[in-house]
Amino acid sequence: VFRAMTISAFAPSGADIFDLFYKRVRIPGGTVFDPFMGSGTTLAETVKLGAKALGRDINPVAHFLVKCALSVHDRKAILEAYHSIERDVAGQLRNYYRAVMPDGTQAEVLYYFWAKTVGCPSCATHVDLFSSLIFARHAYPKKFPQAQAVCPHCGGVNEVHVDCRTTRCSCCKKAFDPGAGPAKGQSATCPSCAHTFPIAKTIRASDKPPSHRMYAKLVLLPDGRKAYHPTTDEDRELYAKAERALAKRKNAFPVVAIEPGYNTNQALGYNYRHWHEMFNARQLLCLSILAARIREIPDPTLRDLFACLFSGALEFNNMFASYKGEGTGAVRHMFAHHILKPERVPLEANLWGTSKSSGSFSTMFEGRIRRALDYADDPFELRLVSGKGSKAEKIYGLSEKIGAPVAETYRAFSKCARVYLSCGDSGATDLPDRSVDVVLTDPPFFDNVHYSQLADFFHVWQRHILGQDGTRITVTTRSDREVQNASEDDFTDRLASVWKETCRVLKDDGLLAFTYHHSRPEGWRCVLQALMQAGFGITAAHPIKAEMSVAMPKQQAKEPIDLDIILVCRKRAGLETHLWNGDLWGTVAPPAQDQVSRLRGAGRKLSRNDVRIIVMAQLLRQLSRSPTLDSALNLLDSAHGDTEDLIDRIHGGRTVRTDNPEKRKGAA
């Protein structure tokens, strides 16, 4: 999407963007600015096309990530540093993930399975928070129906059919229902006294994070086979050994309190008060050993890169991670739900890992750093192969290499650099007036995921490894100037501040283009108000495929949003304004219905919220050309009823007549 947007922004009028997408396009004189650079997608595509890239983000974790991604890296030095780390700590870490099999052979543990336990308020029995005693199943259960269930009587591990509702334990011979468990919804029932109690309320009353019980493991046998086994006394003693070793380490991990917030309150509700409480003792020990070794890397660029890789491993090696099962990446990382959701049956992965591991430091080095180096040296684009369904081929030779010296000031950038990154409020930059050709970005939503609250999880460890200076002076990435805010007024004001600065640094004939979607009217009202306050009008609106369909929040949504809208804007000073006549059916309906028809014709299924996004974008395109902001907002508010009617009609596949709505109602 952002490659196409970058090419489109500089292409001459009438150019075929789909044709240019697979050509060796270069924009050597172009300058692109992203004021919400996030993970750096815009900037990477800009560099690939030979243009100059300017990026800014108020979040230090985002700034750190993009700097690592776009810097020049020495492949030989990286490999040497990795092998040095491997020699120094891999064996030490893997020793905490070994097990002796019943026949006496040694095996490496890929994953330990844990369950949260809560004391029954009635009889004080520790209740495992299983919603199902089946703890491992295949990602494709219809094709591979074998699953693993833990016996509630003796703890034995049993292979069962995924739909089985009664079985007899192979160890103790007692019958149980593999699909049942003590936890159901927000409550749990004690198996000893049958008392049912609220889970969250009971945990909060304990005034400490919930405890966990290790009950099973998945091992990698010497012959390469995997096998599930119950945990043993030897497993518990190995964990206790890790606890003792951790207690002896000084400054082993960052001790930083979790601040209240939209995305942290759920964890706080389970009495997680500090970031380190999201890990068990063995995880903290192994992370501490690895962090200390990375801190010793003398070259700052290499040290940053491995600290970045370490941050990636953090996502998969904590007690908020869970098991996805066989047939896919086994570990579901902690941010799969876009919130800090306490996991009732967490998974502990082997931090260093094996060739069969998921989410480990070693496999992520192979799967992320090596692949990133290959891509940076020789970028490619994907193109669907005609006649072969969804198969794609890689097209090389279209782009320049990724990797350039990153300037830390605009002055240094203006001399000879191609990339300038800064960390701070994008409503106040050091960029000169009218110095940018195009602004491409993806701004935050005002009421969804608050990234700074989640970024603190990484930030505290990055400070622990890299020091507490520069962009890591404060213990949190939160700022009172960040745009994301639950308050509509504050969100609008801060977004308008960034758009005003964007208007200042953008050339008079320049473009602002950004992706956006929202399910609530307030989200669209805020964007319209912020754009018009800053001096922008919308000249085009293009629907495009958004987040992956497999994303957890999308799967769980009643009306999932599968589309983003690219809103293309120009300075209002160069546009003709007009007072929209309120004719929703004659002006907004035709382009909206045309876009919906084209998407459906291409095989896309659209939810009502997808149709809403298309309609609202076309409505804002009309309103943003209004003579005054007040007139635009008044028209937006007054059109609400008709807008909902239009969305219903288009979503239902009914033809929308473009005559006067009153006549249409009378005819009906």
Side-chain angles (χ1 to χ4, degrees):
V1 170
F2 276 85
R3 174 181 173 85
M5 287 171 67
T6 309
I7 293 172
S8 301
F10 289 95
S13 179
D16 186 334
I17 304 304
F18 287 109
D19 179 57
L20 290 174
F21 192 93
Y22 293 109
K23 288 192 174 177
R24 199 174 179 277
V25 174
R26 290 295 179 271
I27 314 167
T31 302
V32 177
F33 175 44
D34 186 347
F36 301 106
M37 66 180 174
S39 60
T41 302
T42 302
L43 307 180
E45 296 304 320
T46 298
V47 170
K48 284 165 56 181
L49 291 166
K52 292 186 175 183
L54 302 128
R56 187 168 174 84
D57 204 288
I58 199 166
N59 195 288
V61 172
H63 176 264
F64 174 68
L65 169 65
V66 180
K67 186 177 179 181
C68 285
L70 298 186
S71 293
V72 177
H73 294 291
D74 183 333
R75 181 186 292 264
K76 182 180 177 182
I78 290 171
L79 294 176
E80 288 176 351
Y82 173 75
H83 290 308
S84 178
I85 295 171
E86 184 178 34
R87 286 191 301 269
D88 291 348
V89 305
Q92 189 178 356
L93 301 184
R94 292 171 75 173
N95 281 337
Y96 286 102
Y97 294 89
R98 297 193 187 279
V100 179
M101 296 295 95
D103 62 1
T105 60
Q106 289 270 347
E108 289 199 82
V109 178
L110 294 171
Y111 313 109
Y112 287 108
F113 297 86
W114 295 77
K116 274 185 170 56
T117 64
V118 178
C120 172
S122 178
C123 70
T125 297
H126 284 283
V127 180
D128 294 333
L129 296 182
F130 289 112
S131 58
S132 169
L133 296 172
I134 293 177
F135 65 90
R137 67 186 73 203
H138 200 277
Y140 304 98
K142 290 184 179 179
K143 189 175 181 180
F144 303 97
Q146 300 84 6
Q148 305 293 324
V150 58
C151 175
H153 307 295
C154 71
V157 171
N158 299 264
E159 184 172 293
V160 299
H161 190 282
V162 70
D163 295 323
C164 176
R165 286 299 171 261
T166 181
T167 191
R168 195 168 293 278
C169 177
S170 59
C171 300
C172 70
K173 310 307 179 185
K174 292 182 179 180
F176 68 97
D177 180 357
K184 187 175 182 180
Q186 302 304 311
S187 301
T189 301
C190 176
S192 296
C193 70
H195 174 63
T196 298
F197 58 91
I199 295 172
K201 184 178 179 180
T202 304
I203 290 174
R204 281 194 293 272
S206 70
D207 203 36
K208 61 182 180 180
S211 57
H212 295 84
R213 183 178 72 84
M214 181 171 52
Y215 64 90
K217 59 183 180 278
L218 177 61
V219 300
L220 180 64
L221 299 171
D223 61 5
R225 291 182 299 117
K226 298 177 183 178
Y228 293 90
H229 287 275
T231 51
T232 63
D233 288 340
E234 287 80 4
D235 295 320
R236 287 181 278 274
E237 172 52 35
L238 183 60
Y239 183 81
K241 179 182 176 182
E243 287 182 306
R244 294 191 294 270
L246 178 65
K248 294 178 181 178
R249 291 182 70 86
K250 294 182 178 179
N251 192 31
F253 49 82
V255 180
V256 180
I258 302 172
E259 296 183 25
Y262 180 87
N263 288 115
T264 54
N265 285 341
Q266 192 169 3
L268 288 167
Y270 271 60
N271 296 329
Y272 289 97
R273 308 278 168 73
H274 295 81
W275 292 107
H276 70 272
E277 293 171 341
M278 295 180 175
F279 306 86
N280 69 27
R282 178 163 43 204
Q283 290 170 329
L284 284 174
L285 171 65
C286 293
L287 288 168
S288 174
I289 293 169
L290 185 56
R293 179 58 185 82
I294 292 171
R295 192 184 295 119
E296 294 173 1
I297 298 174
D299 181 86
T301 302
L302 285 174
R303 187 167 60 245
D304 283 356
L305 184 68
F306 281 97
C308 192
L309 178 61
F310 178 94
S311 295
L314 284 175
E315 286 188 74
F316 296 89
N317 292 272
N318 58 77
M319 296 299 276
F320 279 51
S322 57
Y323 192 49
K324 291 167 68 177
E326 297 290 332
T328 182
V331 188
R332 180 180 291 108
H333 64 79
M334 67 182 299
F335 295 115
H337 298 274
H338 293 184
I339 57 173
L340 293 172
K341 178 180 178 290
E343 180 58 48
R344 292 178 183 176
V345 282
L347 183 77
E348 179 191 0
N350 182 327
L351 176 61
W352 186 266
T354 72
S355 60
K356 300 291 181 69
S357 290
S358 171
S360 70
F361 188 80
S362 62
T363 55
M364 291 179 75
F365 177 79
E366 295 297 328
R368 293 193 177 186
I369 301 300
R370 278 186 183 268
R371 287 178 63 199
L373 290 170
D374 291 342
Y375 184 81
D377 284 344
D378 194 6
F380 59 84
E381 303 303 325
L382 295 177
R383 181 168 60 191
L384 289 178
V385 179
S386 178
K388 293 188 177 181
S390 60
K391 290 186 177 181
E393 60 181 344
K394 295 177 180 178
I395 309 298
Y396 290 90
L398 302 178
S399 304
E400 293 190 7
K401 291 183 178 182
I402 300 173
V406 176
E408 297 186 359
T409 65
Y410 184 83
R411 184 177 181 181
F413 168 79
S414 63
K415 291 181 178 179
C416 59
R418 286 187 53 205
V419 179
Y420 169 40
L421 306 178
S422 60
C423 183
D425 177 11
S426 292
T429 74
D430 62 347
L431 306 183
D433 293 351
R434 300 177 180 82
S435 58
V436 172
D437 294 298
V438 173
V439 177
L440 300 177
T441 191
D442 181 16
F445 305 133
F446 81 87
D447 61 349
N448 279 354
V449 181
H450 292 250
Y451 292 103
S452 63
Q453 297 173 16
L454 304 180
D456 281 353
F457 173 80
F458 303 104
H459 180 67
V460 297
W461 281 95
Q462 289 170 6
R463 292 180 87 234
H464 183 68
I465 296 172
L466 301 172
Q468 302 173 8
D469 54 2
T471 60
R472 289 179 286 272
I473 294 174
T474 60
V475 296
T476 179
T477 67
R478 299 188 194 190
S479 167
D480 59 6
R481 291 305 305 158
E482 61 187 279
V483 170
Q484 199 152 37
N485 196 291
S487 162
E488 294 173 39
D489 291 341
D490 289 343
F491 172 78
T492 303
D493 289 344
R494 293 172 193 179
L495 183 59
S497 174
V498 175
W499 291 152
K500 286 176 184 176
E501 181 69 355
T502 295
C503 193
R504 180 186 70 80
V505 304
L506 188 64
K507 293 178 180 177
D508 288 339
D509 60 348
L511 281 177
L512 161 65
F514 61 95
T515 55
Y516 189 76
H517 71 244
H518 213 285
S519 60
R520 291 168 51 194
E522 304 95 305
W524 295 97
R525 197 179 198 278
C526 292
V527 166
L528 176 63
Q529 184 173 343
L531 282 172
M532 292 186 69
Q533 282 181 354
F536 284 109
I538 301 171
T539 57
H542 306 286
I544 48 100
K545 179 76 172 66
E547 186 177 29
M548 293 187 296
S549 301
V550 296
M552 192 67 68
K554 183 172 291 188
Q555 290 183 337
Q556 296 172 345
K558 189 175 182 180
E559 290 186 350
I561 297 176
D562 202 40
L563 298 179
D564 272 342
I565 285 287
I566 302 172
L567 293 175
V568 184
C569 310
R570 291 186 182 273
K571 293 184 179 183
R572 278 170 54 86
L575 300 176
E576 287 187 18
T577 60
H578 58 80
L579 184 62
W580 183 52
N581 61 6
D583 181 9
L584 196 71
W585 311 95
T587 56
V588 172
Q593 189 160 26
D594 177 61
Q595 290 180 334
V596 168
S597 298
R598 289 168 61 195
L599 286 163
R600 285 175 172 164
R604 299 227 61 86
K605 294 182 179 179
L606 303 182
S607 70
R608 189 176 185 278
N609 271 336
D610 287 329
V611 175
R612 175 186 299 281
I613 287 165
I614 293 172
V615 169
M616 291 304 298
Q618 292 298 340
L619 177 57
L620 260 63
R621 184 171 69 90
Q622 291 288 341
L623 294 174
S624 68
R625 305 285 286 271
S626 299
T628 66
L629 174 60
D630 286 343
S631 62
L633 295 178
N634 288 335
L635 283 166
L636 177 64
D637 295 339
S638 63
H640 179 71
D642 274 348
T643 302
E644 293 300 314
D645 187 14
L646 177 57
I647 292 168
D648 283 338
R649 285 178 169 272
I650 294 178
H651 180 244
R654 289 173 286 174
T655 301
V656 178
R657 296 177 59 181
T658 59
D659 56 359
N660 184 282
E662 292 303 318
K663 290 181 180 179
R664 179 182 50 77
K665 290 176 183 176

